[in-house]
Amino acid sequence: EITAAIRSVDEEHVLFLEGAHWANDFTMFDEVFDPQIVFSFHKYWNKNDTASIAPYLELRERLGAPLWNGETGENTNEWYRECIQLMEDHDIGWSFWTWKKVDNANCPYTIRKPEYWDEIVAYTDGGERPSVEHARAAFEELLENIRLERCVRNDDVLDAIFLR
């Protein structure tokens, strides 16, 4: 029904379908009900071998629809290289998650941590509520710091992702 509703106004765009359980369980799909379907899975923290993606390869073979690794990342540079190479070896498109993170260097760009940010994080973990002034200042600084030119570029991560 959702596909029919989309197609009533848009016949051009690809529809990405993800499985259950963090986009890893596709057992509910037994047919391709639109010619522009792509099945999108997530891959994190497991081995980078053909066995780790075998269910997706089987799905592609069985239903004849392309695969997309819609999320991967949050690991080491060596893991990134292995994962991206695995996707390339099996003709699977991919997207890296995430490109920017606050105060974290295992992504392509690091967002500089705003003043009072630790208070915000502590509050989300059940800690004391920050003052309105500190919260406003933290988020206003975050909005400035997320601009790409203000981020720290992590070339080692980019090299790993782009197999350089």
Side-chain angles (χ1 to χ4, degrees):
E1 290 175 10
I2 292 171
T3 301
I6 292 169
R7 292 300 181 219
S8 73
V9 295
D10 181 351
E11 294 184 11
E12 294 181 33
H13 289 89
V14 172
L15 300 177
F16 288 86
L17 301 179
E18 291 193 346
H21 191 67
W22 305 105
N24 289 301
D25 175 4
F26 290 85
T27 57
M28 75 287 297
F29 295 109
D30 57 5
E31 67 176 314
V32 175
F33 44 85
D34 187 276
Q36 291 178 225
I37 293 288
V38 174
F39 291 107
S40 177
F41 64 94
H42 298 182
K43 181 167 176 47
Y44 292 101
W45 308 298
N46 57 4
K47 287 185 177 182
N48 284 309
D49 57 15
T50 301
S52 71
I53 60 170
Y56 317 126
L57 297 173
E58 187 277 327
L59 177 74
R60 177 173 68 184
E61 179 69 24
R62 181 170 49 87
L63 297 181
L67 294 176
W68 178 259
N69 180 354
E71 281 189 28
T72 194
E74 300 201 5
N75 212 302
T76 65
N77 290 343
E78 178 183 6
W79 192 93
Y80 299 156
R81 272 190 196 87
E82 292 171 356
C83 180
I84 300 307
Q85 188 62 62
L86 181 66
M87 298 303 109
E88 299 287 329
D89 290 347
H90 289 280
D91 295 319
I92 298 171
W94 55 271
S95 178
F96 190 81
W97 180 263
T98 184
W99 281 87
K100 295 191 272 184
K101 290 162 88 175
V102 173
D103 199 30
N104 190 312
N106 78 340
C107 55
Y109 290 89
T110 300
I111 301 167
R112 297 175 199 274
K113 183 170 65 170
E115 186 176 8
Y116 309 120
W117 191 249
D118 289 338
E119 293 179 30
I120 303 296
V121 172
Y123 179 61
T124 65
D125 287 336
E128 184 178 330
R129 183 178 183 160
S131 69
V132 171
E133 294 79 19
H134 283 192
R136 180 173 287 124
F139 282 105
E140 285 177 0
E141 186 178 350
L142 178 66
L143 287 174
E144 288 300 314
N145 290 355
I146 62 174
R147 297 171 59 146
L148 193 59
E149 63 269 13
R150 299 216 27 175
C151 293
V152 176
R153 181 175 155 153
N154 299 312
D155 287 325
D156 60 323
V157 176
L158 290 165
D159 287 346
I161 292 170
F162 292 110
L163 303 175
R164 299 188 290 228

